[in-house]
């Protein structure tokens, strides 16, 4: 998984420090309390320790068996039952370690539990169900036993992120151009996007992701203003309503606060429905389709005041994209490979915020607020001689294009094997010319392709891997690192299963031994995943 650098860490006292485990836990709790920046009083050392260790005071709460992005939230919460609050908070998150919140799941939950992080709505893949569960768990935190007198009040440390290195401190980069990667006739719309970083001075290493603060579609914004019956120029916090709607708030799934607001200003059956929706119920079976506009249409007679309306919306969250270029190869330039999200519900076309912003709204020369999200545990091997096997169907190819360009620019001698797959060979072979040229030059030792919709039967990258399993095993036995990037929900799991089968079959191991072999590769950093 792509684990991200957390802002304030909770494991402050290193295991190497000269303290017993109990002393270390207490000190971690103490500093967790100090780090609290919430408006509520900072936690005392005892409270901090209790949150970290749980009611039993048992600091060692073991592994996180719910840490699986394919497991539904109800199952995850069940597995975490009886665990300390911070662990149940972690279970509420989407388990992708995707970094969009600025942390990995473990560190985000620790930060909330220690009150260093007041925002409960940062888990993008977890969406509303995660935010709701975190709210409930946070209420438990608020009811934590009254503080025993804490340490002398100390000012909370100010955490200042380096410009352009975190979602809390973005910088402007210049959008240069876009190019469609699919041929006409494809069912997909995937764009190669170029940015110029020379103005903001950012750099990156391959494996890092790029955070984008997109802007909502202005046509969509104007329709919402019309539904509110408001003026574009209505002043909100020193800006116009139109400006605030365009770049400060999310117009996607309607927040519980919006339903609450509607329930306050309406009556009768409508009020009951709005209340039920605010509590996560689904009175009309349409809750999953209710973005902000659909909500205003559903409660069409209700016109909240623009100021209250804006306050009830969620802040606009940045989106992350795997960087598909190498700073060593093209200093000051950065590329992305972006699949465009468009779908229709009822009669209305819905637009993915950031992907359509990059695909159609931003123009050459425009500044965009961005940051580089450092990858943790997803990088080229330090030793340039180490062979690498890369498995990246669809947009999963992005970081591997970057790896290959980087290895070419630095003259790394290690062998490189890419598994790429997509729907159809004639329409969806991204970067075909480049990859074929890299193969001809010898840099790309092997290129294995899998087209899922060329034949009668689906054929995926893991099917190709199985076909050449003996060679995959030989590369692993020679010390190759193996990487997977792309879909977290299905592909990554299926690829890992195929790898286990290959190890079992060609490495002459039982399934259990193969599972532990693959687990060991992960622990040693030889099997790395960047999935979303
Ligand atoms: C570390 C990381 C790296 C990533 N790298 C890449 C990358 O290289 N390339 C890339 O393209 N993406 C990548 N992503 C995904 C990317 O961050 C965005 O999630 C993606 O582009 C969608 O964002 P959006 O703002 O366009 O759509 P959003 O506005 O976020 O809308 C997406 C949401 O729309 C809904 N939705 C989508 N399709 C449908 C449908 N058919 N029916 C109903 N609802 C639907 C779903 O709720 C979905 O969650 C990465 C994510 C992470 C975390
Ligand atoms: N948050 C978002 O809304 C958002 C935005 C962009 C991408 N994504 C997700 O990110 C992933 C990447 O999307 P993408 O456009 O890069 O490509 P993709 O939709 O994942 O498709 C890439 C290839 O992978 C195949 N595939 C499907 N299931 C697979 C499996 N279990 N194992 C191996 N291969 C499988 C696809 O085949 P078939 O399709 O023919 O089965 C296709 O050939 C997708 O899962 C997508 O849902 C999400």
């Amino acid at each position: 998984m792509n684990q991200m650098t957390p802002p304030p860490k909770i494991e402050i006292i290193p295991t190497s420090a000269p303290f017993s485990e109990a002393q270390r836990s207490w000190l971690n709790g103490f500093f967790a309390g100090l780090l609290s920046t919430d408006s509520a009083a900072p936690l005392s050392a005892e409270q901090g320790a209790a949150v970290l260790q749980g009611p039993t005071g048992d600091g060692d709460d073991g592994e996180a068996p719910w840490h699986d992005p394919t497991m539904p939230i109800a199952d995850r919460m069940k597995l975490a039952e009886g665990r300390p609050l911070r662990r149940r908070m972690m279970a509420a998150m989407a388990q992708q370690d995707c970094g969009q919140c600025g942390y990995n799941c473990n560190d985000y939950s620790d930060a909330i539990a220690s009150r260093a992080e007041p925002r409960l709505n940062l888990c993008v893949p977890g969406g509303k169900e995660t935010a709701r569960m975190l709210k409930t768990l946070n209420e438990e935190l608020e009811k934590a036993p009254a503080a025993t007198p804490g340490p002398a009040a100390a000012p909370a440390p100010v955490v200042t992120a380096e410009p352009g290195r975190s979602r809390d401190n973005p910088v402007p980069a210049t959008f240069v151009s876009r190019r469609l990667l699919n041929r006409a006739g494809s069912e997909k719309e995937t764009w190669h996007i170029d940015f110029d970083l020379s103005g903001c001075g950012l750099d990156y290493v391959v494996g890092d992701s790029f955070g984008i603060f997109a802007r909502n579609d202005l046509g969509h914004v104007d329709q919402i203003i019309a539904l509110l019956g408001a003026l574009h120029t209505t002043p909100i916090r020193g800006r116009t309503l139109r400006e605030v709607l365009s770049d400060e708030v999310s117009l996607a799934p309607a927040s519980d606060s919006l339903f609450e607001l509607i329930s306050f200003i309406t009556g009768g059956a409508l009020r009951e429905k709005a209340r039920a929706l605010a509590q996560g119920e689904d009175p009309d079976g349409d809750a999953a389709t209710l973005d902000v506009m659909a909500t205003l249409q559903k409660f069409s007679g209700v016109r909240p005041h623009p100021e209250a309306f804006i306050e009830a919306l969620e802040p606009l969250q940045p989106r992350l994209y795997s960087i598909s270029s190498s700073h060593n190869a093209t200093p000051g330039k950065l590329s992305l490979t972006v699949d465009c999200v468009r779908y229709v519900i009822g009669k209305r076309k819905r637009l993915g915020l950031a992907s359509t912003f990059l695909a159609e709204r931003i123009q050459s020369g425009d500044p965009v607020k961005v940051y580089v999200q450092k990858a943790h545990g997803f990088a080229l091997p330090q030793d340039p001689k180490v062979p690498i096997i890369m498995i990246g169907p669809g947009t999963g190819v992005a970081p591997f294009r970057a790896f290959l360009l980087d290895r070419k620019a630095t003259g790394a001698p290690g062998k490189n094997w890419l598994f790429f797959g997509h729907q159809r060979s004639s329409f969806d072979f991204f970067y075909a010319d480049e990859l074929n040229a890299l193969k001809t030059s010898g840099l790309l030792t092997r290129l294995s392709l899998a087209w899922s919709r060329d034949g009668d039967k689906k054929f995926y990258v893991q099917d190709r891997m199985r076909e050449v399993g003996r060679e995959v095993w030989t590369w692993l036995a020679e010390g190759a690192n193996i990487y997977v990037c792309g879909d977290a929900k299905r592909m990554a799991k299926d690829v890992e299963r195929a790898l286990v089968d290959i190890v079992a079959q060609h490495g002459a191991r039982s399934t259990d031994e193969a599972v532990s072999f693959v687990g060991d590769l992960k622990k040693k950093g030889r099997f790395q995943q960047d999935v979303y």
Side-chain angles (χ1 to χ4, degrees), residues 170-174 196-197 199-201 367-370:
V171 294
T174 308
D196 183 353
L197 302 182
C200 62
V368 186
K369 281 199 296 178
V370 302

Side-chain angles (χ1 to χ4, degrees), residues 290-333:
L290 293 177
D291 65 355
V292 170
M293 187 150 124
T295 302
L296 290 177
Q297 285 165 333
K298 182 178 175 80
F299 297 94
S300 58
V302 183
R303 290 192 167 180
H305 187 280
E307 228 171 292
F309 173 71
I310 292 292
E311 273 171 24
L313 301 185
E314 293 286 341
L316 205 61
Q317 305 275 6
R319 304 288 192 269
L320 282 179
Y321 293 94
S322 307
I323 296 172
S324 58
S325 53
S326 154
H327 201 261
N328 285 325
T330 43
K333 307 270 182 261

Side-chain angles (χ1 to χ4, degrees), residues 263-276:
S263 79
F264 294 150
I265 56 174
T266 187
L270 281 183
R271 182 188 183 80
E272 287 313 312
K273 270 187 191 169
R275 258 196 199 146

Side-chain angles (χ1 to χ4, degrees), residues 28 190 455 470:
N28 276 328
T190 307
R470 180 176 300 283

